[in-house]
Amino acid sequence: MDVNVVIRKTDDYEGALKVAQSSKRYFQTGFDQLKKDIQNHLLFGAYLNNNVIGFVTYKDNSKDVIEISWLAVSPEYRNKGFGSQLVSDSLKQLKSSYKICEVKTLA
């Protein structure tokens, strides 16, 4: 079955926060910061039937550099490639503005 997930820049902070809350155990120490960053960083959502099933935020580090600050996919949609699609498609939309995307881990 083909599933049509649309990746787009968004200001649906509530939808992204709902996804984050479904994954809160992964963000235990940073959840308060995540709530701020969802509103202050570039936010892209993965939409299935107009519902947010995942999100990625990018921090604008400099003129040519962004950093993935947060990424989450709702538990029922994990391991289906939507997180990869979310990053890939959002970076394609940003490629005219940035040359480098940094990824850091907290673990």
Side-chain angles (χ1 to χ4, degrees):
M1 176 175 109
D2 260 352
V3 178
N4 186 22
V5 173
V6 176
I7 310 301
R8 67 176 186 255
K9 191 170 186 239
T10 185
D11 61 359
D12 187 354
Y13 309 121
E14 285 185 28
L17 189 57
K18 191 175 181 181
V19 171
Q21 287 172 326
S22 74
S23 305
K24 196 170 180 178
R25 70 185 182 110
Y26 295 108
F27 305 119
Q28 288 176 3
T29 59
F31 198 75
D32 290 334
Q33 186 64 48
L34 179 145
K35 289 193 286 189
K36 293 175 189 173
D37 291 347
I38 282 176
Q39 294 188 27
N40 296 319
H41 294 182
L42 297 168
L43 174 63
F44 283 81
Y47 288 86
L48 179 62
N49 300 324
N50 290 319
N51 295 309
V52 179
I53 64 164
F55 72 90
V56 62
T57 60
Y58 295 96
K59 180 181 175 188
D60 186 342
N61 283 346
S62 70
K63 184 182 110 183
D64 295 329
V65 180
I66 55 172
E67 174 188 336
I68 294 177
S69 48
W70 301 98
L71 171 67
V73 175
S74 294
E76 62 271 27
Y77 297 103
R78 291 185 191 146
N79 300 310
K80 296 179 180 2
F82 297 129
S84 296
Q85 179 185 352
L86 180 54
V87 172
S88 176
D89 288 3
S90 59
L91 286 174
K92 285 176 189 171
Q93 294 175 45
L94 290 168
K95 75 178 182 179
S96 64
S97 302
Y98 300 95
K99 295 180 181 168
I100 298 170
C101 178
E102 296 178 337
V103 180
K104 298 176 183 171
T105 62
L106 300 176

